[in-house]
Amino acid sequence: MSTSPSNAPYHHGNLRQALLEAALVILEQQGEAGLGLRDLARAVGVSPAAPYRHFDSRAALLEALAVTGFQRFTARMEAVAATAPDNPMAAMGKTYVVFALQNANLFRLMFSPQLKKESRPGLAMAANAAFDTLRHAIGGDAQAGRIRALAAWAKVHGLAVLLLDGQIALRAGEDTERLISEVIASL
């Protein structure tokens, strides 16, 4: 009998958080297709009905994971902004791309077209908070700051997706983070 944490019965107080943490692991290992509420219950060691007390459907679980992703992403962006780097846009851009590469499946879920932000207020709030972090770092009036933030977002998001999809081939001995920094610095 295995004694690994994933097979141990669940005995602490925050089942919703335990389900989310287990779901994040499954998401990164198996992708979105590997996520099911019954499988998640088994991974956490609770009854098959227990996850439904916190997520009424698989779609609700995916939304909660995307919200968690945006919250973690926003925290990283705020931490970078708080260091007052010489070039905040470059520092935040690198953070964006590195987050995407380190959390590939979560990143893809966060921006998945199946999760429509206009019909999911919690997800919209989390996504807007992430964008606002970028917009505040840029500064300027509301409209000009928004346009500059959208332009920066489009550039780093494109770079992240190209790297995730293997569309940018790394040369022998080339360091990914250095490449990211150089591409972002050239914008």
Side-chain angles (χ1 to χ4, degrees), residues 7-109:
N7 292 334
Y10 171 79
H11 287 297
H12 51 86
N14 193 343
L15 178 57
R16 184 178 197 282
Q17 188 59 38
L19 290 166
L20 283 173
E21 292 300 325
L24 286 167
V25 170
I26 292 169
L27 179 65
E28 285 308 316
Q29 291 175 348
Q30 301 175 28
E32 182 190 325
L35 282 172
L37 290 172
R38 292 181 67 85
D39 295 329
L40 185 56
R42 189 173 20 262
V44 176
V46 295
S47 75
Y52 289 95
R53 292 186 203 121
H54 301 280
F55 309 104
D56 63 3
S57 65
R58 183 176 183 275
L61 171 64
L62 295 177
E63 178 182 352
L65 287 171
V67 167
T68 298
F70 276 114
Q71 290 168 339
R72 290 179 179 186
F73 172 72
T74 300
R76 282 200 196 174
M77 297 294 275
E78 288 172 346
V80 168
T83 66
D86 292 337
N87 185 341
M89 293 304 299
M92 292 178 88
K94 181 178 178 184
T95 300
Y96 187 103
V97 177
V98 169
F99 178 89
L101 296 177
Q102 291 174 343
N103 303 277
N105 289 332
L106 179 59
F107 179 81
R108 289 185 190 280
L109 178 65

Side-chain angles (χ1 to χ4, degrees), residues 25 38 48 50 82 138 144 165 185-186:
V25 170
R38 292 181 67 85
I138 289 173
D165 290 346
S186 71

